[in-house]
Amino acid sequence: PTSGGPSYTNVTRLMSDGINIYAANDGASLIKFNSNLVALATAAYTSLPGFTNTNAVVLGAGGDVYMQVNNATTTLKLLKYNAAFDGASPVAEVNVSTQMFPIIGNGGQFELAFASNSVYLMGSAEDGSYLTIRKFDANLNDTGITGTFAPTRIQLGPGMMRRGPDHLLYIVTSGS
């Protein structure tokens, strides 16, 4: 991988394509490992200083990788990297603070999914009382489609939103 790439600090999410493992790492960074856990590629989001959290990662079509990062305040970014991302900057990025934080608030939890050539960002209120999902196309253009589900009683974690074998989006939650 690129010399001087991100170090392994706090891996927050893992995703696999069946061959390689993709790790979302604190420091707003991404690491691609082979099955022997040798780092093959690294990338770090450095366009804006202070981005230290990587909350979600998902693989898209053709090996594209999507990440959600934040700066531990109220600025959220959704990033897209091409399959050959070693040392590269994101090929697309969108500020999702205005779509998510007015609804979720600071301290919310996030998850990503890729289904039907679209990226879905799900956020949970800090207390888990409701979920909001926002749909973006594969180039991170906001489609304007959103949904909020309440009441729920769940804290988000890896795998809470996934594409099924039928290419539909599935969410695990509980009502109260």
Side-chain angles (χ1 to χ4, degrees), residues 14-98:
L14 294 172
M15 181 66 66
S16 176
D17 61 7
I19 299 170
N20 297 302
I21 301 165
Y22 298 81
N25 189 47
D26 274 359
S29 63
L30 176 65
I31 304 169
K32 178 181 177 180
F33 295 98
N34 68 13
S35 61
N36 293 319
L37 298 180
V38 173
L40 302 174
T42 61
Y45 180 67
T46 58
S47 297
L48 293 172
F51 277 76
T52 58
N53 300 318
T54 304
N55 300 310
V57 63
V58 69
L59 299 175
D64 292 336
V65 183
Y66 298 89
M67 289 178 30
Q68 186 274 311
V69 299
N70 72 40
N71 64 355
T73 60
T74 57
T75 305
L76 283 172
K77 294 277 186 175
L78 190 54
L79 311 176
K80 176 185 179 181
Y81 289 93
N82 283 338
F85 63 82
D86 194 28
S89 295
V91 295
E93 68 178 81
V94 62
N95 185 333
V96 293
S97 304
T98 56

